[in-house]
Amino acid sequence: MKKRNLFLLAVIALVLITSVAFAGGQQEGGAAATDGPKVIGFSQCDSQQAWRWAETESVQNEAKVRGYELKYNDAQAVQANQIAAVRSFIAQGVDGIVLAPQVMTGFGPVLQEAKDAGIPVVLVDRLVAENEDLYFTFIGSDFVWEGERMGEIVAEETGGKARIAELQGTPGADPTIDRKKGFENIINTYPDMNIILSQTGDFNRTKGKEVMEAFLKAEGENIDVVYCHNDDMAIGAIQAIKEYGKVPGKDILVYSIDGIKDAFQAMVDGDLNAVVECTPLLGPQAYDALEAAWRGETLPKWVMSEDGIFLQKDAASVIASRKY
Ligand code: GYE
């Protein structure tokens, strides 16, 4: 072979070797190897609730503060959309994923795909029932604690005697299961506290109102208390009670979890009796966790939020200081 041909062959071989090596490196490290701003994918399960607007805002604002590029997807309460969104973040080679899962089950395969791609996933506000190795950490509240505190408040304010209607959150979601469990842990110790009606309102204001209307139609004269798994449903229930011709907060006591501004206003107005807080302001902690993952550190599998308890009489003095 001539010297010139040999040289050409060597150049071609070199190009081939380097391009193969480069492709391999990219696959292994995802986009983490790029020099630009960190790219984060945020998959929000739903956007029909005031609580979620606050959470999304927290994640978006903090991305700006830290100079990240944020890819946002709203799954519109459909888990399949959410799985597709996470898959698309992986395909785009993001540096990290923040996932607010709709329900506990069904995320295993896509979490495995993220893990295989070397992309850390931080769960926010709801947990999944998958192997802990599949996500970096979960940042959120203790929902059993929330339900128990609410059970105690209702027991206290009704003298341990109440016929209760329960508006549950989304079926299969962590906060629905545990807020029910925590509440029952307490009220089951009182013989005269009973849940007489219980149905899902999907954590949603409109559905909460519809379900409350049905409750009132069936048992309007027998409901002492409505226990709502979130504030949005409580706001809907309050509306339904007014339209039915009863006084919320007096004829029918109303209790809920979250602590959004609307709930504080409802307490100030006398319509809502108490709130157990559940903070949606999780953006900074979610990114702290991702940064720890990028540094190769580990975190506990649950970073627990600290939440408070607010009775109707406290609402007026704290409403101005509420951040969501
Ligand atoms: O209470 C509710 C939301 O997962 C903690 O879900 C969250 C709950 C929150 O839709 O408003």
Side-chain angles (χ1 to χ4, degrees):
M1 206 181 275
K2 282 190 179 150
K3 241 187 184 172
R4 196 167 157 262
N5 283 353
L6 254 180
F7 175 70
L8 262 180
L9 213 67
V11 169
I12 290 167
L14 199 73
V15 167
L16 272 176
I17 288 165
T18 38
S19 60
V20 166
F22 186 61
Q26 269 216 326
Q27 215 170 18
E28 196 183 300
T34 57
D35 290 335
K38 292 284 190 195
V39 181
I40 318 280
F42 173 41
S43 169
Q44 177 58 286
C45 60
D46 193 1
S47 63
Q48 295 299 305
Q49 304 147 28
W51 190 93
R52 296 214 164 266
W53 304 336
E55 181 183 58
T56 297
E57 215 177 277
S58 169
V59 172
Q60 286 174 336
N61 288 348
E62 190 65 16
K64 282 193 200 111
V65 170
R66 301 194 189 203
Y68 299 150
E69 184 188 325
L70 188 70
K71 294 178 186 294
Y72 170 71
N73 182 272
D74 164 21
Q76 299 177 328
V78 178
Q79 187 185 23
N81 291 347
Q82 194 159 33
I83 292 170
V86 174
R87 220 158 247 153
S88 137
F89 293 150
I90 298 169
Q92 293 172 70
V94 296
D95 296 290
I97 293 173
V98 177
L99 170 64
Q102 167 84 350
V103 287
M104 293 197 87
T105 54
F107 285 101
V110 80
L111 289 174
Q112 184 66 55
E113 290 165 35
K115 191 179 173 160
D116 293 344
I119 301 170
V121 176
V122 169
L123 302 175
V124 286
D125 88 71
R126 291 181 189 171
L127 187 60
V128 294
E130 306 291 351
N131 189 324
E132 287 187 350
D133 294 345
L134 294 181
Y135 56 88
F136 185 64
T137 188
F138 162 59
I139 299 170
S141 297
D142 182 341
F143 307 123
V144 174
W145 180 90
E146 293 171 347
E148 285 179 346
R149 297 300 74 73
M150 193 49 97
E152 288 166 359
I153 295 168
V154 177
E156 169 77 26
E157 297 195 351
T158 60
K161 196 172 183 318
R163 292 164 297 179
I164 302 162
E166 179 184 37
L167 281 172
Q168 295 190 37
T170 301
D174 188 20
T176 304
I177 297 163
D178 283 352
R179 285 173 184 168
K180 180 166 184 57
K181 188 160 122 195
F183 188 75
E184 286 176 350
N185 284 348
I186 302 297
I187 66 151
N188 286 346
T189 66
Y190 292 85
D192 292 328
M193 291 183 81
N194 295 300
I195 296 177
I196 59 163
L197 296 157
S198 183
Q199 211 178 298
T200 179
D202 225 358
F203 283 130
N204 175 293
R205 203 170 285 205
T206 313
K207 287 191 198 158
K209 178 168 185 267
E210 283 166 11
V211 175
M212 190 65 205
E213 282 165 358
F215 282 174
L216 288 163
K217 208 167 166 197
E219 294 280 357
E221 301 311 307
N222 296 318
I223 302 170
D224 304 311
V225 162
V226 194
Y227 166 45
C228 308
H229 287 192
N230 83 343
D231 289 343
D232 275 286
M233 293 190 295
I235 305 293
I238 286 168
Q239 194 56 39
I241 295 168
K242 286 181 179 166
E243 287 172 18
Y244 182 76
K246 292 215 174 215
V247 182
K250 290 201 174 63
D251 299 336
I252 298 179
L253 308 182
V254 187
Y255 297 91
S256 65
I257 297 174
D258 273 357
I260 60 172
K261 262 262 170 63
D262 287 355
F264 276 82
Q265 189 55 54
M267 284 197 282
V268 170
D269 296 342
D271 294 338
L272 182 65
N273 297 81
V275 151
V276 173
E277 189 183 32
C278 176
T279 182
L281 307 178
L282 304 175
Q285 283 171 291
Y287 296 136
D288 285 349
L290 281 179
E291 288 172 12
W294 296 330
R295 288 193 299 268
E297 297 167 10
T298 51
L299 282 185
K301 284 292 168 179
W302 181 12
V303 178
M304 203 195 293
S305 307
E306 274 193 34
D307 297 309
I309 295 165
F310 299 92
L311 304 179
Q312 195 182 76
K313 65 179 169 54
D314 308 322
S317 60
V318 292
I319 189 167
S321 66
R322 296 298 298 168
K323 296 202 166 53
Y324 62 94

